[in-house]
Amino acid sequence: IQAAWNLKTRALTEMVYVDEIDMDQEGIAEIILDENAIAQVARPGTSLKLPGTGQGGGPSPAVRPVTQSGRPITGFVRPSTQGGRPSTMEQAIRTPRTALAARPITSASGGYVRPGTASMITNPDGPFINLSRLNLTKYAQKPKLAKALFEYIFHHENDIKNALDLAALATEYAQFKDWWWKVQIGKCYYRLGLYREAEKQFKSALKQQDMVDTILYLAKVYLRLDQPVTALNLFKQGLERFPGEVTLICGIARIYEEMNNISSAAEYYKDVLKQDNTHVEAIACIGSNHFYSDQPEIALRFYRRLLQMGVYNCQLFNNLGLCCFYAQQYDMTLSSFERALFLAENEEETADVWYNLGHVAVGIGDLNLAYQCFKLTLVNNNDYAEAYNNLAVLEMRKGHTEQARALLQTASSLAPHMYEPHFNVALLSEKVGDLQRSYTAAQKSEEAFPGHVDTQQLMKQLKEHFAML
C-alpha cells in the first residue's frame, strides 16, 4: 500500500506517464490512477454496454431491427447517441467543435461563419475576441461580464481550456458560493472526459441550489460511466422535488429504452404525454413501439398526431406510409412514400424510403419492382446491408446462386450484428453442399440472435450430417 501511495504522489507531482512506471508496479498504478474504470463484467440489468441483459425482455431482432450496439431502433434520433463522444482528454482537445456543427472542423464546414457573428467581427480577417490576449483574472472579478464571456468561449469558440480557467477564477472570486460557476466547471470537466471531477462539481452545485439542469447534467455523467441504475435513482429523487417535470420523466424513459426494458419505457413516455401532450419524442417513441408490437393502426394515430402538430419531414411520411401499408390502407401508402421522397434532404433518407418501397413491392407480389427499388437504395447508399440481403434473396429466387452469395457476403461484412445475412449464407451453402461454410455462418447467426428457431434447426441438421460422416 505504501508503494502504491508513493507512486500516486509521484504521478501527481511529476506528471509521470503510466508507460514509464516499472512493470511490477503497473497494475497498482492502473487501479489507483484510473478513477473512471468500469467493471468488465457488469451484473445483469445494470449496464448499457450489455444491452441483452435488460430485465424487461426487449423485442427480438426478428420483430424489431437493432442497431450495431444491440439496442432496438427507437422512434427518435438523439444527438447524444449519434457518433462517439471524446472518450479521453486528448481526443477532446484535438477535436474542436464549433457553433456550426457538432463535428470536428473540416475543410467543408470550418470556413463558414454564421451571419449573426459575421457582423460582430472587429477586423475582417481576425476573430471577434482574441482569447489569447484576454486577462481572465480581470474579467473573473466582474460576475455579469464573466458569465457572458464564459458562454461565448464555451459554446462558440469551444475553447474548453480557457473556459475552465475563467470558471475556476470566477468561482474563486465568488468564494465558492455561486452554484452557477460550479455547474460550468462540471460541464468543462465532462467535455474533457474527467467524469469523476464533473460529478463532484455537480453534486456540490446541487447542495447549494436544487436545479433540474444540474440533475440532467449529473445523470449524463453517470450514463457515461455506465451506471444507468444510479442515473435512474437520481431522476426519481429529482421527481420527488420537481413533480411532473417532463425532462426528468423523459430521461427515465430513455434509460429504460436503452436497457431494452421497452414496456417500462412506454409507461414513462405515456407519463410524459400526461404532462405535455405535444412532446414529439414521446409521441414518436410510443408510435414506434406500437408499430413493432403489430399494432400499425394505433401507431398511425400517433404519427397523424405529429402531422397535425406541424411536424413535416421525410421521416414522418416514411413512417406514415409503412403504417398505412401494414394497416392495409393501400390508397395512402404510395402517396405518403412519394411525399417522403420529395421531402428527403440527403441520400441516406432517400435510400430508406426506396428500401421501404421495396418491401411494399414484395408485399403486393411485384418482384421486378422490388428488385428496382432495392437497386435504387444501393444507388443512394452503397452501405445499405439490408438491401444487399434482400437483393440476394431475389437473386436466389431467379437461380443466380453466385450473385446471391456475393451479395450476402457483402451484407454480412457491412452489418455483422444482423442475423439474416448469416442465416441466408448458411442456408445457401447447405443447399449447394458446402457444409463447413454453412456451419460457420449458422454459428454467426446464432451468436447474433440466439432465439432464432430456423437457425437452431439448421444447426441440428448439420450436426447430424457431421455425425454420419
Side-chain angles (χ1 to χ4, degrees):
I1 294 171
Q2 186 63 39
W5 178 252
N6 293 340
L7 181 63
K8 182 179 181 182
T9 310
R10 178 180 164 224
L12 291 173
T13 53
E14 300 179 15
M15 296 300 288
V16 177
Y17 291 101
V18 174
D19 57 338
E20 294 179 10
I21 298 168
D22 296 336
M23 289 299 292
D24 56 341
Q25 297 177 337
E26 189 174 349
I28 304 171
E30 192 174 342
I31 292 168
I32 291 178
L33 298 179
D34 190 4
E35 293 183 343
N36 297 322
I38 295 170
Q40 296 297 319
V41 182
R43 287 180 296 167
T46 61
S47 172
L48 298 177
K49 298 192 181 300
L50 300 171
T53 60
Q55 300 296 316
S60 72
V63 177
R64 188 169 186 174
V66 294
T67 60
Q68 184 83 39
S69 61
R71 296 174 190 159
I73 290 174
T74 63
F76 201 84
V77 176
R78 303 189 182 96
S80 60
T81 58
Q82 304 294 306
R85 292 285 180 139
S87 57
T88 63
M89 195 188 302
E90 288 82 2
Q91 287 177 1
I93 293 170
R94 287 175 189 168
T95 54
R97 289 166 174 77
T98 64
L100 296 167
R103 296 181 177 180
I105 297 174
T106 62
S107 58
S109 64
Y112 301 114
V113 180
R114 293 184 304 172
T117 26
S119 60
M120 296 161 60
I121 292 178
T122 45
N123 63 18
D125 300 320
F128 173 53
I129 295 175
N130 194 337
L131 298 180
S132 61
R133 295 184 179 180
L134 284 182
N135 185 354
L136 296 178
T137 309
K138 182 179 79 172
Y139 289 108
Q141 295 170 5
K142 301 176 181 178
K144 293 179 181 176
L145 184 60
K147 289 182 178 181
L149 181 61
F150 176 87
E151 296 280 346
Y152 176 83
I153 297 172
F154 186 84
H155 293 292
H156 185 275
E157 293 297 320
N158 197 48
D159 190 339
I160 306 301
K161 181 182 176 297
N162 278 322
L164 182 58
D165 290 343
L166 176 61
L169 291 168
T171 193
E172 190 177 342
Y173 177 76
Q175 298 178 345
F176 306 97
K177 293 178 182 177
D178 192 339
W179 64 271
W180 191 87
W181 282 114
K182 291 183 179 180
V183 172
Q184 308 316 309
I185 293 174
K187 285 161 67 174
C188 291
Y189 280 143
Y190 178 84
R191 290 283 288 274
L192 292 171
L194 301 169
Y195 302 121
R196 289 298 181 190
E197 284 77 1
E199 178 192 8
K200 292 173 188 173
Q201 295 294 332
F202 290 137
K203 279 185 173 179
S204 178
L206 274 176
K207 285 180 184 175
Q208 286 186 351
Q209 181 74 36
D210 211 1
M211 293 289 289
V212 176
D213 279 358
T214 315
I215 295 172
L216 294 171
Y217 280 122
L218 186 54
K220 281 181 72 173
V221 169
Y222 285 133
L223 289 176
R224 293 295 294 174
L225 290 170
D226 194 27
Q227 296 178 2
V229 177
T230 311
L232 282 174
N233 292 334
L234 179 69
F235 278 136
K236 288 172 182 175
Q237 290 167 10
L239 281 173
E240 292 174 5
R241 304 193 295 272
F242 301 97
E245 175 59 44
V246 170
T247 51
L248 298 180
I249 305 172
C250 192
I252 294 174
R254 287 179 186 174
I255 293 174
Y256 275 127
E257 201 163 38
E258 290 183 7
M259 293 171 69
N260 273 8
N261 196 338
I262 304 298
S263 55
S264 297
E267 290 300 320
Y268 276 98
Y269 278 129
K270 287 174 185 174
D271 288 343
V272 170
L273 291 183
K274 287 175 187 173
Q275 303 296 331
D276 177 11
N277 56 12
T278 60
H279 198 276
V280 176
E281 179 179 349
I283 295 172
C285 287
I286 292 173
S288 176
N289 288 334
H290 279 300
F291 178 81
Y292 288 116
S293 301
D294 203 19
Q295 297 171 323
E297 297 89 352
I298 301 175
L300 188 59
R301 289 169 56 190
F302 282 94
Y303 289 127
R304 280 178 58 197
R305 170 69 178 158
L306 288 176
L307 198 61
Q308 291 166 356
M309 284 167 48
V311 180
Y312 194 79
N313 55 26
C314 168
Q315 292 86 351
L316 180 58
F317 279 102
N318 179 56
N319 292 353
L320 280 170
L322 279 174
C323 289
C324 289
F325 174 67
Y326 284 105
Q328 298 181 7
Q329 299 181 15
Y330 300 119
D331 53 335
M332 288 291 295
T333 303
L334 291 177
S335 59
S336 296
F337 281 126
E338 189 178 4
R339 189 68 57 87
L341 283 171
F342 177 72
L343 292 171
E345 295 179 353
N346 53 49
E347 290 184 340
E348 283 77 12
E349 292 178 4
T350 309
D352 286 334
V353 180
W354 279 117
Y355 174 76
N356 289 330
L357 275 168
H359 267 290
V360 172
V362 170
I364 61 176
D366 191 343
L367 297 183
N368 288 327
L369 175 61
Y371 191 85
Q372 293 299 323
C373 289
F374 292 136
K375 281 285 189 184
L376 283 166
T377 303
L378 295 177
V379 166
N380 287 286
N381 183 2
N382 202 33
D383 292 336
Y384 213 105
E386 292 88 348
Y388 280 111
N389 178 74
N390 293 358
L391 270 175
V393 175
L394 292 175
E395 291 284 8
M396 190 60 200
R397 288 177 66 93
K398 294 179 182 177
H400 302 157
T401 308
E402 289 305 317
Q403 290 180 17
R405 188 195 297 277
L407 289 166
L408 286 172
Q409 285 176 346
T410 306
S412 57
S413 62
L414 285 172
H417 64 284
M418 285 169 49
Y419 75 95
E420 292 96 342
H422 297 305
F423 174 72
N424 290 338
V425 168
L427 206 60
L428 187 61
S429 301
E430 198 264 341
K431 283 184 179 176
V432 299
D434 190 347
L435 299 184
Q436 182 60 44
R437 181 178 291 179
S438 176
Y439 185 74
T440 308
Q443 280 182 318
K444 291 179 182 175
S445 173
E446 191 174 37
E447 192 178 318
F449 181 20
H452 191 225
V453 178
D454 291 336
T455 302
Q456 293 170 358
Q457 290 177 351
L458 182 61
M459 289 279 283
K460 187 179 177 183
Q461 290 177 13
L462 289 169
K463 285 176 182 176
E464 288 175 358
H465 279 302
F466 293 142
M468 290 170 62
L469 292 172

